[in-house]
Amino acid sequence: VAALRPSMRMILWPMLLRSLVNPTMLLGLPVLCRSVTQLVQSARAPAVDGSQGQDDAYAGLAQALHAGSSAPQPETIFAWLLVCAHSPMDPPGLGLNALRCLESLSSMLHPVLGQIR
């Protein structure tokens, strides 16, 4: 993610976040949640070579969430992931992956959520 150009990040994050809240994607949601979680975690991790790439990727996600882009509103993501976590086995693995995704996105969805751990 860090190696992507800024213009690509502005396409990637809104697309992933729209897919995350799309009810037609429910069967693939466990995999999508895992992917978003891993992308957020890698964007937060410090760069091995000391470059700013990861910071830029994390900033791209934050900008996609809050800049009025085509990404869904943070409240929509929060509510949808909670609803999906309510039915943890439909599809298999959904609940745990939805909660992990919610945890990884928490500080960007709302500042208070980032403090709860």
Side-chain angles (χ1 to χ4, degrees):
V1 175
L4 294 176
R5 295 181 310 222
S7 60
M8 285 299 293
R9 276 187 238 113
M10 294 315 297
I11 295 169
L12 171 72
W13 287 116
M15 181 184 68
L16 281 174
L17 296 174
R18 277 193 314 272
S19 298
L20 197 63
V21 298
N22 186 344
T24 61
M25 299 289 286
L26 188 62
L27 290 176
L29 197 57
V31 173
L32 186 59
C33 285
R34 250 190 341 263
S35 299
V36 169
T37 300
Q38 289 175 348
L39 287 170
V40 171
Q41 289 172 350
S42 70
R44 283 184 180 163
V48 175
D49 60 359
S51 68
Q52 294 264 338
Q54 267 79 1
D55 292 338
D56 292 342
Y58 193 67
L61 172 58
Q63 187 176 10
L65 277 171
H66 298 291
S69 71
S70 60
Q73 294 294 312
E75 297 84 5
T76 304
I77 297 169
F78 178 71
W80 177 249
L81 289 175
L82 282 180
V83 167
C84 290
H86 182 266
S87 302
M89 298 308 287
D90 188 29
L94 177 61
L96 181 60
N97 287 306
L99 289 174
R100 285 181 177 158
C101 186
L102 182 59
E103 179 186 22
S104 69
L105 292 171
S106 63
S107 62
M108 285 189 224
L109 297 177
H110 194 279
V112 173
L113 290 175
Q115 297 171 3
I116 301 173
R117 287 197 182 197

